[in-house]
Amino acid sequence: MIYKLSNAAEKNDIEKEFGIPFKYPNLYTQNPLINGFHETNLSVVTTDNQREITFAIWGLMPQNFKEDWYIFQNNANTLNVQLSDLEQVDWMKESFHKRRCLIVVTGFYTHMIKNGNTCSYYLCKPDERPFLLAGVYNTLEDGFQCTALITSRMGSFVSSYHDISNLAPIIVPNEQTDFWLSNDTKVEDLKDFIQNPPEENLKANLMSNEFFLNNITYNM
């Protein structure tokens, strides 16, 4: 499972990379450490609005949910969801069929156990450009969007830096964004994509023990 992301890119670089603008550009802020255990927003491109980058609360809640984020997340951690959830949980199944999204990041954090201690890594593109993760979303009663990462089996590179689970986010290449967001894509093809995700070229930075306090990194 992945509970910490990064989006440290500048707004203009994100818009240039994906060829679409932010709907609310003044609301975007760079954030090298996005902690899913705190109520926070992610930058997303949705099935319903593929021409703009909008925002969604990280943590999927049912469509038209009325209560606060922390109430739902105290009962069900939905920062990450798996294909089995999307197939078997009715309200998630509807999201998968009708409301998929792409989550804009510059990287995500993984963890390994070595000699009884936890080592943390930051995985990103070699050129540190922003990229997209597969997600689903819903719209709450107040109009805000909420989202979850879809996780699947790890590729060989990610598994070298992550052993506290066997799951990792799914990177959606830029040339496959239409495939992921289109309502014309067959559900069986989406399932196959999740079960056999493409393995993208990434690099890993070893994080210092003080990173989450001081944002210190060491390049590998």
Side-chain angles (χ1 to χ4, degrees), residues 20 22 42-46 49 52-57 101-104 132 136-137 145-147:
I20 52 176
F22 277 88
L42 300 176
S43 300
V44 298
V45 183
T46 68
N49 185 1
E52 293 177 305
I53 302 169
T54 57
F55 298 100
I57 302 167
C101 66
L102 297 163
I103 298 167
V104 180
L132 301 166
V136 290
Y137 74 100
Q145 298 176 143
C146 59
T147 188

Side-chain angles (χ1 to χ4, degrees), residues 113-152:
I113 305 300
K114 292 184 178 181
N115 301 318
N117 297 306
T118 301
C119 295
S120 299
Y121 299 90
Y122 174 58
L123 272 58
C124 62
K125 289 290 188 76
D127 56 11
E128 301 186 358
R129 289 163 59 181
F131 58 96
L132 301 166
L133 302 178
V136 290
Y137 74 100
N138 282 325
T139 302
L140 307 177
E141 187 185 52
D142 59 12
F144 285 97
Q145 298 176 143
C146 59
T147 188
L149 300 177
I150 299 176
T151 53
S152 183

Side-chain angles (χ1 to χ4, degrees), residues 165-180:
S165 81
N166 63 349
L167 299 170
I170 299 168
I171 297 174
V172 180
N174 288 2
E175 61 270 18
Q176 291 186 276
T177 58
D178 290 343
F179 163 83
W180 182 255

